[in-house]
Amino acid sequence: MTARKMASPHDFSFQEFEEAAELLSANPDASTHSTARLENVNVGMNMEDDEDAQEETEMLTRQKKNFKFWSFEYYQSFFNIDTFQVLDRIKGSVLPLPGRSFVKHHLRNNPDLYGPFWICATLALIMAISGNVSTFLNESGDSNYHYSPQFHKVTVACVIIYCYAWLVPLGLWGFLQWRTNQSRSLSNYSFLETVSTYGYSLFIYIPAAVLCVIPEGWVHWLIFLLATVVSGSVLIFTFWPILSDDTRVAALSTMVAIIVLHLLLAVCCKFYFFPITQQPLPLTTTAASLVNVTASAPKAHAV
C-alpha cells in the first residue's frame, strides 16, 4: 500500500491566479462588467414583470369581451381581483398625487366592482353606527333622554351612498360620452372605470366616520372637510386630464358640478348622521338664574 500524502496548510490558503491578475492589470475596468450585467438583468426582469402584468390585464379584457353583456359570467369577471390589487387601489385613493390619474396608474384597464361594492356597504354601516353612538354621547347628559337604536339610518345610508356611487358616475359618463361624440378629439373613460373611481374615492370616509364618534361639532366639520378634500382630489386628478381637452366653459362647468355634488354628499351625511345640538339648560337652573337677576336688580325709589 502506498502512503497517502497529507495536505499541508498551504494548500488551503487562497491562491492568486496569475492569468486573472494579468487581465485585471491590462484592463482595470473589467471588474465593472459584472455589475453592469447585473443592472441589465435587473432592468430586464422589471420590464418582464411589467409586460407580464400588461399581458394579464389584456387577457382579462379579452375574457370580458368574449362573454355576452347579459350573461352572468360577464359581470363575474369584474369581481375577479386579488387582495393586493384592492389594497393598492385603496392606497391610491387615500394618497392622491397631482398628475397621477387613478384610472391609468391603479385601474390599468382592469376596473373592478368588488372594491367599490364593499367600500360602499362598509361606509353605510359605519356611518349609521357612528351616527348612533355620537348622538348617544351627545344626549347622555340629558336626564330626559332615552336611547333607542335608529336602525333606519342604515337603510338611509345605503340609499344615499349607493345612489351617489352609481347614479353620479352614470350621469358623468353619459355627459362625457355625448361630448366625445360631438368632438372626436376628446377621450372618455368607460362606465366601469368611472364607477370604480367613485367607489374607491369614498374609502377615506370610513375612518372619518369612525372619528366622528367624538361628540364635538367642530371636530365633525374638520374631519369631513379633510375627507372631502382627499376624496375630491382623486376625482379632480382623474377627470381633469380628459376634461381639459374640451372647451374651457364645458370643462370648468363639469368640474364644478363634480365638486358641488361631492360637497353635497359630505354636507348631507354630516347633518343627517352627526347632528350636534346645543343642550338646553335645565329648568331649575334657569329659574334660579332669573331669581338671582331679579334680586340683584336695583329697586326704584318713590318720589
Side-chain angles (χ1 to χ4, degrees):
M1 296 179 60
T2 59
R4 294 182 180 179
K5 183 180 179 180
M6 299 296 293
S8 62
H10 180 71
D11 296 335
F12 295 99
S13 62
F14 291 99
Q15 303 293 329
E16 294 184 359
F17 297 93
E18 296 180 358
E19 184 179 359
E22 292 176 357
L23 292 174
L24 184 59
S25 61
N27 187 8
D29 298 332
S31 58
T32 61
H33 292 342
S34 59
T35 305
R37 290 176 182 175
L38 289 176
E39 292 178 353
N40 293 333
V41 171
N42 292 333
V43 172
M45 293 177 63
N46 293 333
M47 293 178 63
E48 290 178 357
D49 293 339
D50 294 339
E51 291 177 357
D52 293 340
Q54 185 177 2
E55 290 177 358
E56 183 179 357
T57 301
E58 292 177 355
M59 182 181 65
L60 291 174
T61 304
R62 288 195 300 268
Q63 290 179 356
K64 293 173 185 177
K65 291 181 179 179
N66 292 333
F67 297 121
K68 301 298 182 181
F69 181 79
W70 56 84
S71 63
F72 177 76
E73 288 79 6
Y74 179 85
Y75 299 96
Q76 186 180 10
S77 61
F78 294 108
F79 291 85
N80 186 16
I81 187 172
D82 56 28
T83 306
F84 297 102
Q85 289 177 314
V86 174
L87 293 178
D88 176 72
R89 294 173 182 186
I90 290 176
K91 180 180 177 181
S93 67
V94 176
L95 301 173
L97 297 176
R100 291 179 63 89
S101 173
F102 185 82
V103 173
K104 295 182 178 180
H105 291 84
H106 297 282
L107 297 184
R108 297 177 181 177
N109 297 325
N110 185 28
D112 70 286
L113 298 179
Y114 178 85
F117 174 81
W118 287 111
I119 287 174
C120 292
T122 305
L123 177 59
L125 183 62
I126 295 298
M127 192 78 70
I129 294 176
S130 299
N132 276 284
V133 175
S134 178
T135 302
F136 171 76
L137 295 177
N138 183 52
E139 302 289 346
S140 59
D142 187 3
S143 58
N144 297 324
Y145 174 73
H146 299 284
Y147 173 74
S148 61
Q150 299 175 339
F151 294 107
H152 67 278
K153 286 189 175 182
V154 178
T155 305
V156 176
C158 289
V159 172
I160 293 175
I161 294 171
Y162 275 103
C163 286
Y164 174 81
W166 282 89
L167 296 182
V168 174
L170 177 61
L172 177 61
W173 172 79
F175 175 77
L176 294 178
Q177 192 69 23
W178 173 71
R179 294 296 299 173
T180 304
N181 294 332
Q182 296 293 324
S183 177
R184 297 297 180 182
S185 61
L186 301 179
S187 59
N188 188 15
Y189 298 131
S190 66
F191 172 66
L192 290 173
E193 288 175 339
T194 307
V195 171
S196 186
T197 302
Y198 266 84
Y200 279 104
S201 68
L202 295 177
F203 178 82
I204 191 63
Y205 285 102
I206 296 178
V210 174
L211 294 176
C212 283
V213 171
I214 304 173
E216 289 291 339
W218 67 271
V219 175
H220 294 174
W221 282 113
L222 179 61
I223 292 173
F224 269 93
L225 178 61
L226 294 176
T228 304
V229 169
V230 174
S231 182
S233 299
V234 177
L235 302 179
I236 294 174
F237 297 154
T238 300
F239 292 103
W240 177 249
I242 63 174
L243 291 175
S244 59
D245 296 333
D246 202 348
T247 61
R248 185 176 182 85
V249 175
L252 292 178
S253 301
T254 307
M255 186 54 63
V256 168
I258 293 174
I259 297 174
V260 168
L261 290 175
H262 204 62
L263 289 174
L264 185 62
L265 172 69
V267 172
C268 290
C269 291
K270 164 64 182 69
F271 279 110
Y272 184 79
F273 296 102
F274 304 98
I276 298 300
T277 57
Q278 187 68 27
Q279 291 291 340
L281 295 175
L283 183 61
T284 55
T285 305
T286 306
S289 301
L290 291 176
V291 171
N292 293 332
V293 170
T294 304
S296 60
K299 297 181 180 180
H301 298 281
V303 178

